[in-house]
Amino acid sequence: MSLEGLGKSLRSTLAKVFKASRVDKELVKGLVNDLVRALLQADVQVDLVIDLAKRVEDRALNEKPPPGVTRREHIVKVVYDEVVKLLGGENVSSPVPKLGKMNVYMLVGLQGSGKTTTACKLASFYQRRGFRTGLICADVYRPGAYQQLKQLGDKAGVPVYGEPDGKDPVKIVLDGLELFRRSKRDLVIIDTAGRHKDEESLMKEVKELYEVIKPDEVILTVDATIGQQAYSQAKAFHEAVGVGSIIVTKMDGSARGGGALSAVAATGAPVKFIGVGEKLDDLEVFNPRRFVARLLGFGDIEGLLEKFKRAELKVSEKEARSVLMGRFTLKDLYKQMESLRKLGPLKSIISHLPGFSYGLSDELLEEAEDKMDRWKAIIESMTEEERVNPKVLNASRVRRIARGAGVSERDVKELIKYYERTVKLLKAMRGRRSLLRAGRRTGFKVPKVDIG
Ligand SMILES: Nc1nc2c(ncn2[C@@H]2O[C@H](COP(=O)(O)OP(=O)(O)OP(=O)(O)O)[C@@H](O)[C@H]2O)c(=O)[nH]1
Ligand SMILES: [Mg+2]
């Protein structure tokens, strides 16, 4: 079953929780059964599924939901948490090369898992973020291994070291590292062999390389399409060299992502990137929370966009442009609030924004709704001149508006303050945009820090 399929069955499982007339033991048991079926069909390892099922059942039945959260919501959150955990937890960041030294990352993985392609994608990823990268081909088994790496490296503009006729991977890597040390590279990525006469000799070689190189990071590439075998493969590599992070390749197309979940569990290492195609740019930083949220069908921005569509909210290009150019008037603010209120209760809108589903109490949301309604009334009491040019607002105008809208003067001032902050923010954004544009013209490099 594909990840799509897994998502679908998890969503229908969770939908049952929301539809059920009562939340009781029976419902939780049914949910856990559905969950087990869905995960097994997605090739997740049996032991892992059983563990997860036990934890979900235990937490769903015994944990007390936090204030403001219903039992149903809590159950969904438990499922979400546990699937995120299965995928490597909260952590979202790609490995960051340390400054002031040459970092060495070593890619390992079985034949055809995507090491060579991924090595080049990674080199290009870090190069674009200002690191000087290099590639070394340590694969002396695959015919044309060096040529393949060289071709992709050339495309990425990354220097490649290899010895097309060499027989000793350790020597090649040491030579390559020496060369790159001299040319002051920040990050060198080593592409290793995947084919060997048997797995044992492959592991032996990988281990030997590891002990000589002592890489800063060992990255395992796992083919998303392999299913259950991923578990034992990942385990073997982990026992040999200690896997630090995982890249799941071939997540495009009809990938069975379940195997990837198993690989994570076998090594305890998080997925840091996913490969989504054969080209150099087809690499994405992996975000487990966002991924699972999408899989489970909540907390996703897409759902919210869908809602926007349904409300037939139409923002013309002219309006959008005028907002971005800083001519953001109180009329625009009014329109924004109106469209937001048209979408329905804030609670349901917020539930579609990642990271906001929990932690905002109903009271807080009701208060925000009240405030929005008050602000709308305030803008309605203004003259056209005041809406377009709020600078003219003085004490006596504020008093008049407050009386007209049936609110306090403080409310009016608060709205004006909010408006001014928004305008400032938009101006700052505009400044940044032109800065970036100027940067592109002068070849300004993206600073080194902003990774992940
Ligand atoms: N669609 C898709 N294809 C990929 C992805 N990553 C790698 N491939 C393809 O998978 C095939 C194998 O990739 P390689 O990078 O050569 O794999 P490898 O692990 O180096 O293989 P060996 O060197 O033989 O062990 C190639 O045809 C790649 O183009 C991906 O994310 N998506
Ligand atoms: Mg290769």
Side-chain angles (χ1 to χ4, degrees):
M1 182 166 69
S2 66
L3 271 184
E4 278 284 289
L6 173 63
K8 220 186 217 164
S9 50
L10 288 179
R11 280 195 295 276
S12 69
T13 301
L14 292 178
K16 276 193 215 158
V17 176
F18 280 106
K19 268 191 239 135
S21 52
R22 272 193 341 185
V23 182
D24 53 15
K25 206 164 169 175
E26 208 175 312
L27 179 75
V28 171
K29 291 240 184 258
L31 163 78
V32 170
N33 282 341
D34 286 350
L35 205 56
V36 167
R37 199 170 317 122
L39 289 168
L40 286 180
Q41 271 174 9
D43 282 331
V44 182
Q45 251 253 333
V46 182
D47 297 348
L48 303 177
V49 175
I50 293 172
D51 274 358
L52 182 139
K54 268 195 210 135
R55 272 199 311 274
V56 169
E57 184 170 338
D58 179 50
R59 291 186 56 192
L61 290 175
N62 301 323
E63 257 177 32
K64 199 167 161 268
V69 173
T70 65
R71 290 244 357 238
R72 290 169 211 273
E73 285 174 325
H74 179 248
I75 291 175
V76 174
K77 175 71 163 37
V78 166
V79 173
Y80 172 63
D81 277 351
E82 293 299 332
V83 181
V84 168
K85 218 187 267 170
L86 196 66
L87 270 165
E90 307 268 334
N91 222 344
V92 187
S93 65
S94 37
V96 183
K98 295 182 193 74
L99 293 177
K101 68 170 265 186
M102 185 173 80
N103 297 261
V104 180
Y105 292 179
M106 176 173 160
L107 277 182
V108 298
L110 281 196
Q111 179 176 338
S113 58
K115 291 175 298 300
T116 306
T117 315
T118 306
C120 294
K121 285 179 181 175
L122 275 180
S124 168
F125 175 89
Y126 285 108
Q127 183 119 311
R128 273 181 273 133
R129 279 155 182 80
F131 294 95
R132 288 160 50 83
T133 57
L135 285 159
I136 299 179
C137 172
D139 183 355
V140 298
Y141 296 93
R142 188 187 201 281
Y146 170 74
Q147 283 77 7
Q148 187 198 3
L149 190 71
K150 176 86 175 106
Q151 221 172 42
L152 283 167
D154 284 351
K155 246 189 224 157
V158 174
V160 176
Y161 183 82
E163 297 170 13
D165 301 317
K167 293 277 173 286
D168 178 3
V170 170
K171 178 186 170 293
I172 298 176
V173 171
L174 289 176
D175 288 350
L177 287 177
E178 183 51 36
L179 183 96
F180 284 137
R181 198 164 284 124
R182 262 186 274 135
S183 61
K184 299 213 169 359
R185 294 279 131 184
D186 303 308
L187 171 64
V188 176
I189 296 167
I190 300 173
D191 177 26
T192 61
R195 59 182 73 189
H196 239 280
K197 60 179 190 302
D198 53 43
E199 198 177 296
E200 203 180 315
S201 61
L202 172 65
M203 291 304 161
K204 193 165 156 267
E205 178 182 298
V206 166
K207 209 169 170 167
E208 226 175 273
L209 270 171
Y210 174 82
E211 266 147 27
V212 176
I213 303 167
K214 299 253 173 339
D216 298 277
E217 181 90 8
V218 175
I219 304 175
L220 173 73
T221 57
V222 180
D223 181 335
T225 63
I226 62 167
Q228 290 245 6
Q229 296 146 273
Y231 187 84
S232 52
Q233 268 181 31
K235 208 165 160 154
F237 276 107
H238 192 54
E239 275 160 12
V241 291
V243 170
S245 46
I246 296 175
I247 298 182
V248 183
T249 63
K250 309 184 196 180
M251 285 288 274
D252 48 320
S254 57
R256 299 152 74 98
L261 306 189
S262 299
V264 171
T267 58
V271 177
K272 290 297 189 182
F273 293 94
I274 52 175
V276 292
E278 302 194 44
K279 289 205 245 14
L280 278 174
D281 288 347
D282 296 334
L283 184 77
E284 290 176 7
V285 173
F286 182 69
N287 178 335
R289 282 208 165 274
R290 199 185 307 147
F291 180 81
V292 176
R294 219 186 291 157
L295 205 61
L296 300 187
F298 71 94
D300 66 340
I301 212 83
E302 258 152 26
L304 183 67
L305 290 179
E306 194 51 42
K307 271 201 144 178
F308 266 85
K309 241 191 254 157
R310 255 183 279 144
E312 288 188 76
L313 171 76
K314 288 205 181 72
V315 179
S316 74
E317 199 191 312
K318 197 171 137 240
E319 280 166 347
R321 202 184 295 269
S322 108
V323 166
L324 267 176
M325 294 316 282
R327 279 195 307 267
F328 182 70
T329 68
L330 281 169
K331 275 162 85 175
D332 296 308
L333 184 63
Y334 183 86
K335 224 184 240 170
Q336 269 190 5
M337 288 191 290
E338 199 174 30
S339 6
L340 209 58
R341 296 296 274 128
K342 241 196 249 161
L343 286 180
L346 263 187
K347 188 172 149 75
S348 77
I349 299 170
I350 297 275
S351 73
H352 282 272
L353 294 171
F356 279 97
S357 321
Y358 290 87
L360 282 179
S361 67
D362 290 0
E363 277 148 282
L364 214 68
L365 290 172
E366 268 162 35
E367 203 182 300
E369 274 175 7
D370 275 346
K371 186 183 277 180
M372 236 191 260
D373 290 339
R374 266 201 311 275
W375 284 5
K376 273 177 67 183
I378 293 172
I379 298 175
E380 275 160 8
S381 309
M382 289 179 177
T383 63
E384 179 71 9
E385 186 202 9
E386 286 162 349
R387 286 180 203 139
V388 178
N389 183 19
K391 280 207 184 73
V392 300
L393 289 169
N394 55 21
S396 73
R397 285 183 189 237
V398 167
R399 212 171 309 131
R400 189 207 79 233
I401 294 165
R403 220 175 304 130
V407 301
S408 72
E409 284 176 38
R410 227 183 59 204
D411 285 328
V412 181
K413 285 183 195 149
E414 193 188 359
L415 165 66
I416 296 169
K417 219 183 244 160
Y418 173 82
Y419 164 76
E420 280 168 355
R421 261 210 317 270
T422 309
V423 168
K424 222 188 246 166
L425 203 77
L426 285 167
K427 281 209 175 117
M429 257 167 62
R430 191 163 40 124
R432 242 174 88 99
R433 270 158 45 102
S434 50
L435 195 78
L436 281 177
R437 229 177 294 134
R440 266 202 291 282
R441 273 202 302 274
T442 57
F444 170 77
K445 264 197 190 154
V446 183
K448 287 189 178 185
V449 278
D450 193 20
I451 290 193

